[in-house]
Amino acid sequence: MTYGVKTFLASSIAAIVACCGASTAYAQEGYSTDICGPYESMVSILSDNHGEGLQFQALNFEGRLISFFANEESGTWTVLVTDTDMRACMYDAGIAYTNMKDLGDAY
């Protein structure tokens, strides 16, 4: 893992925990993280601290909202899983986001 990725993930975790507090609600259900908070707070952190905007959303079979956020300039991305009570948990995050529409007919 490069220094930039470590810095991004550490700053994301610190900002989310500081703002929203940490919860283990989803960790017990098999999610990969316990960084959780109100959906709107999590979205604000992603936007304000990382310039990430909502790219798409979908519902899974358990009724949870899966939201994918990305910064098209830096390539950072984050996936939030939101329960019906609007409590969102960071499921995963990374780098090298590519908008497939930008590739035209390549795919």
Side-chain angles (χ1 to χ4, degrees):
M1 187 178 300
T2 67
Y3 175 76
V5 173
K6 288 179 184 177
T7 302
F8 167 74
L9 292 175
S11 65
S12 295
I13 292 168
I16 291 170
V17 170
C19 171
C20 307
S23 169
T24 58
Y26 290 123
Q28 296 170 353
E29 296 177 20
Y31 289 88
S32 63
T33 185
D34 62 355
I35 301 169
C36 302
Y39 177 80
E40 293 300 327
S41 297
M42 300 288 277
V43 170
S44 292
I45 290 168
L46 295 175
S47 175
D48 296 346
N49 294 358
H50 304 289
E52 293 183 7
L54 182 62
Q55 302 299 311
F56 67 85
Q57 291 181 316
L59 289 175
N60 71 7
F61 289 112
E62 287 94 27
R64 293 187 179 99
L65 180 66
I66 310 302
S67 304
F68 186 90
F69 296 83
N71 180 322
E72 295 191 33
E73 292 179 21
S74 70
T76 62
W77 58 266
T78 305
V79 175
L80 295 181
V81 177
T82 306
D83 213 333
T84 56
D85 63 359
M86 295 307 289
R87 182 134 179 98
C89 290
M90 187 170 73
Y91 182 77
D92 207 350
I95 59 171
Y97 166 75
T98 301
N99 186 331
M100 302 309 283
K101 290 180 184 178
D102 294 341
L103 300 177
D105 293 331
Y107 287 90

XYZ file of all heavy atoms in Angstrom:
804
model
N 0.860 -1.167 0.000
C 0.000 0.000 0.000
C 0.909 1.232 0.000
O 1.837 1.325 0.785
C -0.896 -0.025 1.239
C -1.935 1.062 1.255
S -3.047 1.036 2.691
C -3.813 -0.550 2.559
N 0.660 2.178 -0.894
C 1.497 3.358 -0.998
C 1.200 4.341 0.118
O 0.162 4.292 0.773
C 1.281 4.063 -2.350
O -0.046 4.580 -2.378
C 1.531 3.127 -3.512
N 2.120 5.291 0.325
C 1.956 6.302 1.354
C 0.687 7.119 1.122
O -0.044 7.400 2.061
C 3.177 7.220 1.375
C 3.028 8.363 2.346
C 3.171 8.144 3.712
C 2.714 9.640 1.908
C 3.023 9.178 4.608
C 2.557 10.673 2.800
C 2.720 10.444 4.152
O 2.556 11.462 5.036
N 0.388 7.461 -0.134
C -0.808 8.253 -0.447
C -2.091 7.530 -0.083
O -3.026 8.127 0.450
N -2.145 6.241 -0.348
C -3.325 5.447 -0.013
C -3.479 5.362 1.498
O -4.570 5.539 2.039
C -3.240 4.032 -0.631
C -4.377 3.162 -0.141
C -3.234 4.116 -2.140
N -2.377 5.109 2.204
C -2.428 5.033 3.667
C -2.896 6.361 4.255
O -3.704 6.385 5.180
C -1.061 4.667 4.228
C -0.662 3.237 3.978
C 0.705 2.964 4.553
C 1.163 1.563 4.228
N 2.511 1.294 4.718
N -2.382 7.462 3.722
C -2.775 8.784 4.207
C -4.249 9.029 3.956
O -4.974 9.520 4.828
C -1.928 9.878 3.521
O -0.557 9.622 3.790
C -2.300 11.253 4.019
N -4.735 8.687 2.767
C -6.150 8.866 2.439
C -7.028 8.058 3.378
O -7.992 8.573 3.946
C -6.415 8.454 0.990
C -7.880 8.320 0.675
C -8.669 9.447 0.525
C -8.477 7.075 0.570
C -10.022 9.332 0.253
C -9.821 6.957 0.299
C -10.595 8.088 0.144
N -6.719 6.789 3.551
C -7.536 5.936 4.403
C -7.484 6.391 5.860
O -8.510 6.437 6.540
C -7.101 4.480 4.280
C -7.376 3.822 2.931
C -6.798 2.419 2.895
C -8.854 3.793 2.622
N -6.304 6.772 6.337
C -6.189 7.227 7.726
C -6.974 8.509 7.948
O -7.679 8.651 8.950
C -4.717 7.440 8.084
N -6.899 9.446 7.005
C -7.635 10.706 7.180
C -9.135 10.475 7.058
O -9.920 11.114 7.758
C -7.163 11.766 6.182
O -7.449 11.392 4.857
N -9.554 9.564 6.201
C -10.979 9.236 6.084
C -11.509 8.647 7.377
O -12.557 9.049 7.878
C -11.220 8.224 4.957
O -10.908 8.770 3.727
N -10.772 7.704 7.908
C -11.199 7.053 9.142
C -11.247 8.048 10.288
O -12.221 8.106 11.036
C -10.271 5.862 9.470
C -10.471 4.750 8.442
C -10.492 5.350 10.887
C -9.433 3.669 8.479
N -10.219 8.867 10.414
C -10.184 9.849 11.500
C -11.335 10.837 11.400
O -11.987 11.160 12.395
C -8.848 10.592 11.484
N -11.626 11.315 10.197
C -12.708 12.287 10.018
C -14.064 11.673 10.318
O -14.908 12.289 10.978
C -12.688 12.839 8.592
N -14.282 10.463 9.869
C -15.578 9.822 10.089
C -15.775 9.494 11.559
O -16.837 9.739 12.119
C -15.716 8.571 9.194
C -15.823 9.011 7.729
C -16.921 7.737 9.595
C -15.733 7.896 6.729
N -14.747 8.971 12.208
C -14.878 8.644 13.626
C -15.071 9.912 14.449
O -15.902 9.957 15.352
C -13.655 7.834 14.120
C -13.654 7.710 15.636
C -13.654 6.455 13.474
N -14.340 10.967 14.120
C -14.466 12.224 14.867
C -15.857 12.821 14.723
O -16.429 13.332 15.685
C -13.411 13.218 14.383
N -16.413 12.762 13.530
C -17.719 13.370 13.282
C -18.865 12.503 13.772
O -19.783 12.984 14.411
C -17.895 13.640 11.790
S -19.561 14.156 11.359
N -18.801 11.252 13.457
C -19.979 10.397 13.617
C -19.850 9.357 14.711
O -20.835 8.741 15.088
C -20.264 9.664 12.307
S -20.400 10.756 10.908
N -18.670 9.107 15.176
C -18.481 8.033 16.139
C -18.412 6.700 15.418
O -18.824 6.571 14.276
N -17.859 5.732 16.060
C -17.745 4.410 15.443
C -18.796 3.479 16.022
O -19.198 3.613 17.164
C -16.343 3.845 15.694
N -19.226 2.560 15.219
C -20.223 1.590 15.646
C -19.831 0.221 15.139
O -19.211 0.099 14.088
C -21.588 1.970 15.073
O -22.510 0.937 15.260
N -20.179 -0.810 15.874
C -19.874 -2.170 15.428
C -21.108 -2.870 14.897
O -21.104 -4.070 14.688
C -19.271 -2.992 16.581
O -20.204 -2.988 17.658
C -17.942 -2.431 17.022
N -22.168 -2.139 14.625
C -23.425 -2.755 14.205
C -23.256 -3.617 12.965
O -23.752 -4.739 12.920
C -24.475 -1.675 13.949
N -22.581 -3.110 11.946
C -22.440 -3.875 10.717
C -21.293 -4.872 10.778
O -21.319 -5.864 10.083
C -22.259 -2.942 9.522
C -23.515 -2.188 9.195
C -23.527 -0.808 9.175
C -24.691 -2.860 8.916
C -24.686 -0.117 8.871
C -25.845 -2.171 8.617
C -25.839 -0.801 8.591
O -26.982 -0.126 8.286
N -20.301 -4.602 11.610
C -19.174 -5.526 11.699
C -19.656 -6.903 12.126
O -19.150 -7.914 11.664
C -18.136 -4.990 12.679
N -20.664 -6.958 12.970
C -21.196 -8.223 13.426
C -21.970 -8.935 12.323
O -22.202 -10.127 12.407
C -22.094 -8.005 14.642
C -21.331 -7.462 15.822
C -22.249 -7.028 16.941
O -23.465 -7.012 16.806
N -21.655 -6.646 18.053
N -22.368 -8.221 11.292
C -23.123 -8.815 10.195
C -22.227 -9.157 9.007
O -22.706 -9.426 7.925
C -24.228 -7.859 9.754
C -25.265 -7.620 10.824
C -26.316 -6.617 10.398
O -26.470 -6.388 9.182
O -26.971 -6.068 11.278
N -20.913 -9.055 9.167
C -20.009 -9.449 8.115
C -19.459 -8.307 7.278
O -18.704 -8.536 6.359
N -19.817 -7.070 7.573
C -19.249 -5.951 6.831
C -17.804 -5.758 7.258
O -17.421 -6.090 8.369
C -20.067 -4.672 7.054
C -21.403 -4.735 6.379
C -22.506 -5.273 7.029
C -21.557 -4.315 5.072
C -23.724 -5.371 6.404
C -22.773 -4.408 4.438
C -23.858 -4.939 5.115
O -25.059 -5.039 4.484
N -17.014 -5.164 6.372
C -15.574 -5.132 6.585
C -15.115 -3.981 7.470
O -13.935 -3.857 7.711
C -14.869 -5.041 5.233
O -15.217 -3.837 4.585
N -15.987 -3.153 7.959
C -15.549 -2.010 8.748
C -16.574 -1.681 9.813
O -17.713 -2.105 9.751
C -15.309 -0.791 7.830
O -14.776 0.263 8.624
C -16.578 -0.323 7.162
N -16.151 -0.905 10.784
C -17.078 -0.446 11.805
C -17.131 1.079 11.836
O -17.459 1.678 12.833
C -16.730 -1.021 13.172
C -15.369 -0.598 13.673
O -14.630 0.066 12.929
O -15.050 -0.929 14.819
N -16.818 1.712 10.715
C -16.877 3.169 10.608
C -18.267 3.541 10.112
O -18.583 3.385 8.944
C -15.793 3.697 9.658
C -14.427 3.283 10.171
C -15.903 5.207 9.525
C -13.320 3.522 9.198
N -19.108 3.991 11.034
C -20.509 4.230 10.730
C -20.960 5.589 11.257
O -20.339 6.149 12.151
C -21.386 3.156 11.369
S -20.993 1.477 10.857
N -22.061 6.072 10.712
C -22.672 7.308 11.166
C -23.929 7.578 10.372
O -24.278 6.816 9.473
N -24.609 8.672 10.685
C -25.797 9.038 9.906
C -25.414 9.238 8.432
O -24.358 9.808 8.123
C -26.260 10.341 10.547
C -25.643 10.346 11.906
C -24.353 9.599 11.775
N -26.272 8.784 7.537
C -25.982 8.845 6.097
C -25.544 10.243 5.655
O -24.519 10.392 4.986
C -27.212 8.395 5.301
C -27.020 8.490 3.800
C -26.333 7.498 3.117
C -27.505 9.578 3.080
C -26.146 7.574 1.742
C -27.319 9.665 1.712
C -26.639 8.665 1.043
O -26.437 8.757 -0.301
N -26.306 11.265 6.024
C -25.987 12.624 5.572
C -24.620 13.087 6.076
O -23.891 13.777 5.358
C -27.082 13.606 5.990
C -28.412 13.366 5.281
C -28.320 13.486 3.758
O -27.528 14.299 3.252
O -29.039 12.744 3.071
N -24.253 12.713 7.292
C -22.940 13.075 7.827
C -21.820 12.387 7.061
O -20.787 12.997 6.760
C -22.842 12.707 9.308
O -23.762 13.429 10.063
N -22.022 11.122 6.751
C -21.016 10.374 5.999
C -20.833 10.965 4.598
O -19.708 11.125 4.120
C -21.414 8.901 5.906
C -21.547 8.201 7.252
S -19.992 7.904 8.065
C -19.504 6.393 7.251
N -21.945 11.332 3.958
C -21.879 11.935 2.624
C -21.136 13.266 2.689
O -20.302 13.568 1.826
C -23.296 12.110 2.031
C -23.257 12.944 0.758
C -23.926 10.751 1.756
N -21.403 14.065 3.712
C -20.719 15.358 3.863
C -19.223 15.178 4.022
O -18.433 15.927 3.441
C -21.277 16.120 5.071
O -22.602 16.507 4.830
N -18.815 14.200 4.803
C -17.386 13.934 4.990
C -16.733 13.557 3.670
O -15.662 14.063 3.323
C -17.174 12.829 6.043
C -17.548 13.355 7.426
C -15.735 12.318 6.024
C -17.649 12.288 8.482
N -17.374 12.670 2.919
C -16.807 12.255 1.633
C -16.692 13.430 0.674
O -15.702 13.572 -0.039
C -17.645 11.131 1.019
C -17.652 9.820 1.795
C -18.603 8.832 1.142
C -16.252 9.248 1.894
N -17.698 14.290 0.664
C -17.692 15.447 -0.229
C -16.692 16.505 0.230
O -15.852 16.950 -0.550
C -19.098 16.041 -0.301
O -19.091 17.217 -1.067
N -16.790 16.903 1.489
C -15.966 18.000 2.001
C -14.487 17.644 2.109
O -13.625 18.454 1.785
C -16.466 18.451 3.378
C -17.874 19.027 3.331
O -18.377 19.338 2.228
O -18.489 19.154 4.413
N -14.190 16.436 2.571
C -12.791 16.066 2.816
C -12.097 15.425 1.615
O -10.874 15.472 1.526
C -12.696 15.100 4.002
C -13.101 15.753 5.299
O -13.424 16.929 5.359
N -13.095 14.973 6.360
N -12.875 14.813 0.715
C -12.245 14.060 -0.375
C -12.781 14.408 -1.753
O -12.341 13.828 -2.743
C -12.393 12.558 -0.121
C -11.825 12.151 1.207
N -10.473 12.128 1.456
C -12.425 11.815 2.362
C -10.273 11.771 2.702
N -11.438 11.579 3.282
N -13.740 15.317 -1.819
C -14.280 15.718 -3.113
C -15.032 14.608 -3.822
O -15.186 14.637 -5.042
N -15.507 13.620 -3.075
C -16.215 12.500 -3.684
C -17.701 12.796 -3.804
O -18.321 13.304 -2.873
C -16.004 11.224 -2.868
C -14.578 10.742 -2.903
C -14.350 9.442 -2.168
O -15.323 8.809 -1.720
O -13.185 9.053 -2.049
N -18.248 12.489 -4.966
C -19.666 12.664 -5.220
C -20.323 11.338 -5.526
O -19.670 10.374 -5.939
N -21.622 11.293 -5.344
C -22.385 10.072 -5.584
C -22.342 9.717 -7.068
O -22.651 10.535 -7.926
C -23.835 10.258 -5.120
C -24.756 9.059 -5.264
C -24.262 7.894 -4.406
C -26.172 9.452 -4.873
N -21.972 8.479 -7.369
C -21.910 7.990 -8.748
C -23.106 7.094 -9.075
O -23.667 7.187 -10.149
C -20.609 7.219 -8.989
C -19.359 8.036 -8.718
C -19.249 9.256 -9.609
O -19.408 9.160 -10.828
N -18.993 10.411 -9.023
N -23.470 6.206 -8.143
C -24.665 5.388 -8.335
C -25.102 4.794 -7.004
O -24.340 4.742 -6.054
C -24.466 4.287 -9.382
C -23.485 3.216 -8.997
C -23.890 2.130 -8.226
C -22.177 3.272 -9.429
C -22.989 1.137 -7.882
C -21.275 2.286 -9.089
C -21.681 1.210 -8.320
N -26.362 4.351 -6.963
C -26.938 3.684 -5.797
C -27.780 2.506 -6.265
O -28.322 2.521 -7.362
C -27.846 4.625 -4.999
C -27.117 5.731 -4.287
C -28.059 6.619 -3.495
O -29.114 6.996 -3.988
N -27.675 6.956 -2.281
N -27.898 1.523 -5.380
C -28.749 0.364 -5.653
C -29.157 -0.254 -4.317
O -28.478 -0.072 -3.315
C -28.001 -0.663 -6.500
N -30.265 -0.977 -4.325
C -30.700 -1.704 -3.136
C -30.252 -3.149 -3.237
O -30.379 -3.773 -4.295
C -32.228 -1.665 -3.005
C -32.843 -0.333 -2.636
C -34.366 -0.431 -2.671
C -32.373 0.124 -1.258
N -29.747 -3.700 -2.113
C -29.435 -5.123 -2.123
C -30.670 -5.906 -1.687
O -31.717 -5.319 -1.386
C -28.192 -5.432 -1.277
C -28.420 -5.291 0.212
O -29.533 -5.083 0.699
N -27.339 -5.397 0.975
N -30.563 -7.220 -1.659
C -31.725 -8.054 -1.353
C -32.163 -7.972 0.104
O -33.253 -8.404 0.434
C -31.462 -9.504 -1.765
C -31.452 -9.686 -3.252
C -30.282 -10.006 -3.914
C -32.611 -9.519 -3.990
C -30.267 -10.171 -5.296
C -32.607 -9.677 -5.371
C -31.434 -9.996 -6.016
N -31.317 -7.426 0.976
C -31.710 -7.231 2.372
C -32.342 -5.862 2.600
O -32.658 -5.500 3.720
C -30.498 -7.387 3.304
C -30.035 -8.825 3.475
C -28.931 -9.173 2.499
O -28.194 -8.267 2.083
O -28.816 -10.353 2.146
N -32.494 -5.075 1.542
C -33.091 -3.747 1.657
C -32.117 -2.649 2.047
O -32.527 -1.537 2.367
N -30.823 -2.949 2.011
C -29.814 -1.934 2.326
C -29.463 -1.163 1.056
O -29.406 -1.718 -0.032
C -28.573 -2.578 2.915
C -28.824 -3.191 4.272
C -27.530 -3.665 4.906
N -27.800 -4.223 6.203
C -27.914 -5.526 6.451
N -27.782 -6.402 5.477
N -28.157 -5.953 7.666
N -29.192 0.125 1.239
C -28.812 0.995 0.138
C -27.298 0.943 -0.035
O -26.552 1.222 0.907
C -29.256 2.429 0.431
C -28.927 3.475 -0.619
C -29.706 3.198 -1.909
C -29.250 4.865 -0.083
N -26.847 0.584 -1.217
C -25.428 0.557 -1.545
C -25.142 1.816 -2.364
O -25.747 2.027 -3.413
C -25.059 -0.697 -2.371
C -25.601 -1.973 -1.714
C -23.559 -0.761 -2.606
C -25.134 -2.223 -0.311
N -24.232 2.661 -1.859
C -23.908 3.933 -2.522
C -22.432 3.957 -2.868
O -21.577 3.665 -2.026
C -24.229 5.116 -1.603
O -25.569 5.089 -1.180
N -22.137 4.316 -4.103
C -20.754 4.392 -4.581
C -20.417 5.853 -4.845
O -21.074 6.503 -5.654
C -20.584 3.573 -5.857
C -19.162 3.477 -6.329
C -18.347 2.446 -5.898
C -18.642 4.416 -7.204
C -17.034 2.364 -6.330
C -17.335 4.342 -7.635
C -16.516 3.309 -7.201
N -19.388 6.353 -4.156
C -18.936 7.733 -4.298
C -17.541 7.729 -4.902
O -16.753 6.811 -4.653
C -18.871 8.419 -2.924
C -20.207 8.547 -2.257
C -20.746 7.497 -1.531
C -20.930 9.725 -2.351
C -21.984 7.606 -0.920
C -22.169 9.841 -1.747
C -22.697 8.785 -1.034
N -17.221 8.757 -5.700
C -15.886 8.833 -6.284
C -15.516 10.276 -6.575
O -16.377 11.140 -6.755
C -15.813 8.015 -7.571
N -14.219 10.506 -6.598
C -13.654 11.771 -7.035
C -13.021 11.491 -8.386
O -12.021 10.772 -8.476
C -12.618 12.273 -6.032
C -11.994 13.587 -6.432
O -11.721 13.845 -7.595
N -11.741 14.434 -5.448
N -13.603 12.028 -9.444
C -13.132 11.716 -10.798
C -11.762 12.298 -11.095
O -11.076 11.813 -11.989
C -14.166 12.167 -11.823
C -15.458 11.379 -11.693
C -16.414 11.604 -12.841
O -15.963 11.812 -13.976
O -17.629 11.564 -12.579
N -11.334 13.318 -10.364
C -10.010 13.903 -10.596
C -8.911 13.117 -9.892
O -7.894 12.787 -10.489
C -9.998 15.356 -10.145
C -10.866 16.254 -11.012
C -10.862 17.685 -10.543
O -9.931 18.087 -9.818
O -11.798 18.412 -10.902
N -9.108 12.819 -8.604
C -8.070 12.116 -7.840
C -8.165 10.599 -7.987
O -7.187 9.897 -7.751
C -8.161 12.480 -6.360
O -9.327 11.918 -5.772
N -9.346 10.091 -8.328
C -9.536 8.655 -8.478
C -9.913 7.931 -7.199
O -10.077 6.715 -7.203
N -10.066 8.665 -6.087
C -10.469 7.994 -4.849
C -11.941 7.617 -4.919
O -12.722 8.258 -5.613
C -10.231 8.879 -3.613
O -11.026 10.061 -3.715
C -8.765 9.231 -3.470
N -12.324 6.547 -4.205
C -13.713 6.098 -4.192
C -14.035 5.473 -2.842
O -13.148 5.008 -2.125
C -14.006 5.117 -5.323
C -13.145 3.883 -5.311
C -11.976 3.692 -6.001
C -13.371 2.677 -4.565
N -11.466 2.445 -5.735
C -12.305 1.807 -4.856
C -14.356 2.250 -3.699
C -12.205 0.529 -4.309
C -14.269 0.986 -3.139
C -13.201 0.143 -3.456
N -15.323 5.464 -2.510
C -15.812 4.901 -1.256
C -17.176 4.254 -1.494
O -17.992 4.798 -2.222
C -15.967 5.995 -0.177
O -14.725 6.679 -0.029
C -16.387 5.399 1.162
N -17.400 3.104 -0.853
C -18.707 2.452 -0.887
C -19.306 2.520 0.512
O -18.655 2.136 1.488
C -18.596 0.978 -1.334
C -19.953 0.283 -1.232
C -18.049 0.890 -2.742
N -20.529 3.050 0.597
C -21.280 3.071 1.847
C -22.418 2.068 1.763
O -23.038 1.907 0.708
C -21.890 4.451 2.106
C -20.961 5.627 2.331
C -21.779 6.889 2.588
C -20.018 5.360 3.490
N -22.708 1.409 2.885
C -23.872 0.546 3.008
C -24.766 1.183 4.060
O -24.335 1.423 5.191
C -23.482 -0.887 3.425
C -24.719 -1.750 3.618
C -22.549 -1.501 2.391
N -26.012 1.489 3.661
C -26.934 2.204 4.539
C -28.134 1.329 4.858
O -28.768 0.791 3.959
C -27.401 3.514 3.875
O -26.245 4.269 3.490
C -28.252 4.339 4.815
N -28.436 1.199 6.151
C -29.574 0.397 6.581
C -30.852 1.228 6.500
O -30.813 2.427 6.213
C -29.348 -0.091 8.018
C -29.959 -1.460 8.257
O -30.939 -1.805 7.578
O -29.459 -2.172 9.135
N -31.980 0.607 6.772
C -33.271 1.293 6.667
C -33.424 2.420 7.682
O -34.260 3.296 7.500
C -34.435 0.298 6.820
O -34.282 -0.399 8.065
C -34.459 -0.692 5.674
N -32.597 2.426 8.732
C -32.637 3.516 9.707
C -31.714 4.670 9.325
O -31.479 5.580 10.113
C -32.309 3.013 11.108
C -30.891 2.455 11.234
O -30.160 2.445 10.219
O -30.518 2.023 12.332
N -31.169 4.631 8.095
C -30.281 5.655 7.520
C -28.940 5.737 8.246
O -28.269 6.753 8.231
C -30.953 7.022 7.456
C -32.132 7.061 6.508
S -31.726 6.467 4.828
C -30.719 7.798 4.220
N -28.508 4.647 8.847
C -27.177 4.556 9.439
C -26.277 3.937 8.374
O -26.521 2.819 7.906
C -27.192 3.693 10.687
C -25.859 3.616 11.364
C -26.029 3.831 12.854
N -24.762 3.752 13.552
C -24.058 4.827 13.891
N -24.494 6.021 13.631
N -22.923 4.687 14.529
N -25.251 4.679 7.996
C -24.358 4.256 6.921
C -23.021 3.800 7.481
O -22.502 4.393 8.423
C -24.138 5.403 5.941
N -22.474 2.764 6.880
C -21.150 2.273 7.242
C -20.276 2.238 5.997
O -20.723 1.841 4.921
C -21.228 0.874 7.843
S -21.980 0.840 9.467
N -19.007 2.649 6.179
C -18.061 2.577 5.079
C -17.702 1.110 4.877
O -17.183 0.453 5.779
C -16.809 3.394 5.378
C -15.878 3.476 4.182
S -14.541 4.653 4.378
C -13.515 3.796 5.541
N -18.020 0.593 3.717
C -17.779 -0.816 3.401
C -16.386 -1.016 2.820
O -15.695 -1.977 3.136
C -18.847 -1.311 2.431
C -18.725 -2.761 2.087
C -19.151 -3.724 2.981
C -18.194 -3.164 0.872
C -19.036 -5.066 2.680
C -18.070 -4.499 0.565
C -18.496 -5.447 1.466
O -18.377 -6.779 1.158
N -15.978 -0.080 1.950
C -14.678 -0.199 1.309
C -14.303 1.151 0.715
O -15.156 2.014 0.536
C -14.723 -1.264 0.214
C -13.363 -1.915 -0.036
O -12.344 -1.425 0.505
O -13.306 -2.909 -0.764
N -13.031 1.339 0.420
C -12.537 2.566 -0.201
C -11.264 2.238 -0.960
O -10.615 1.227 -0.685
C -12.267 3.635 0.860
N -10.927 3.096 -1.926
C -9.722 2.822 -2.690
C -9.343 3.944 -3.626
O -9.790 5.084 -3.470
N -8.530 3.591 -4.607
C -8.013 4.553 -5.581
C -8.236 4.008 -6.988
O -8.697 2.887 -7.156
C -6.514 4.831 -5.345
C -5.712 3.532 -5.451
C -6.299 5.483 -3.992
C -4.220 3.742 -5.448
N -7.890 4.809 -7.977
C -7.905 4.434 -9.394
C -9.314 4.256 -9.951
O -9.548 3.402 -10.808
C -7.054 3.193 -9.646
N -10.275 5.067 -9.473
C -11.622 5.048 -10.037
C -11.573 5.483 -11.495
O -10.891 6.435 -11.853
C -12.537 5.989 -9.258
C -13.846 6.285 -9.960
C -14.858 5.332 -9.986
C -14.053 7.490 -10.620
C -16.057 5.592 -10.638
C -15.244 7.750 -11.269
C -16.234 6.804 -11.275
O -17.416 7.054 -11.925
N -12.291 4.781 -12.343
C -12.431 5.136 -13.749
C -13.906 5.084 -14.105
O -14.576 4.082 -13.862
C -11.672 4.143 -14.660
O -10.295 4.165 -14.290
C -11.819 4.508 -16.114
N -14.416 6.153 -14.678
C -15.789 6.179 -15.155
C -15.808 5.470 -16.499
O -15.210 5.913 -17.467
C -16.285 7.615 -15.296
C -17.746 7.691 -15.657
O -18.297 6.804 -16.296
N -18.373 8.770 -15.259
N -16.493 4.328 -16.562
C -16.494 3.509 -17.769
C -17.103 4.239 -18.973
O -16.758 3.951 -20.103
C -17.218 2.191 -17.525
C -16.611 1.369 -16.373
S -14.825 1.135 -16.498
C -14.745 -0.124 -17.721
N -17.987 5.203 -18.718
C -18.552 5.972 -19.816
C -17.492 6.780 -20.544
O -17.602 7.023 -21.736
C -19.643 6.919 -19.289
C -20.881 6.208 -18.833
C -21.907 7.203 -18.338
C -23.134 6.504 -17.792
N -24.125 7.441 -17.271
N -16.438 7.170 -19.806
C -15.360 7.947 -20.405
C -14.525 7.130 -21.382
O -13.787 7.679 -22.184
C -14.448 8.525 -19.317
C -15.147 9.561 -18.446
O -16.194 10.091 -18.874
O -14.634 9.828 -17.346
N -14.635 5.808 -21.308
C -13.862 4.939 -22.187
C -14.547 4.688 -23.526
O -13.989 4.049 -24.402
C -13.554 3.611 -21.491
C -12.739 3.727 -20.206
C -12.558 2.352 -19.582
C -11.394 4.378 -20.465
N -15.760 5.195 -23.655
C -16.494 5.066 -24.922
C -16.817 3.626 -25.253
O -17.312 2.872 -24.431
N -16.511 3.230 -26.478
C -16.849 1.900 -26.964
C -15.837 0.833 -26.562
O -15.930 -0.302 -27.011
C -16.967 1.913 -28.483
C -18.157 2.757 -28.944
O -19.131 2.837 -28.170
O -18.098 3.317 -30.055
N -14.877 1.178 -25.734
C -13.857 0.193 -25.339
C -14.448 -0.941 -24.534
O -13.901 -2.028 -24.475
C -12.748 0.885 -24.541
N -15.633 -0.672 -23.891
C -16.258 -1.722 -23.081
C -17.664 -1.929 -23.473
O -18.514 -1.307 -23.618
C -16.149 -1.393 -21.580
C -14.756 -1.575 -21.079
C -13.838 -0.529 -21.102
C -14.334 -2.814 -20.624
C -12.545 -0.722 -20.664
C -13.050 -3.004 -20.174
C -12.145 -1.955 -20.202
O -10.871 -2.143 -19.777
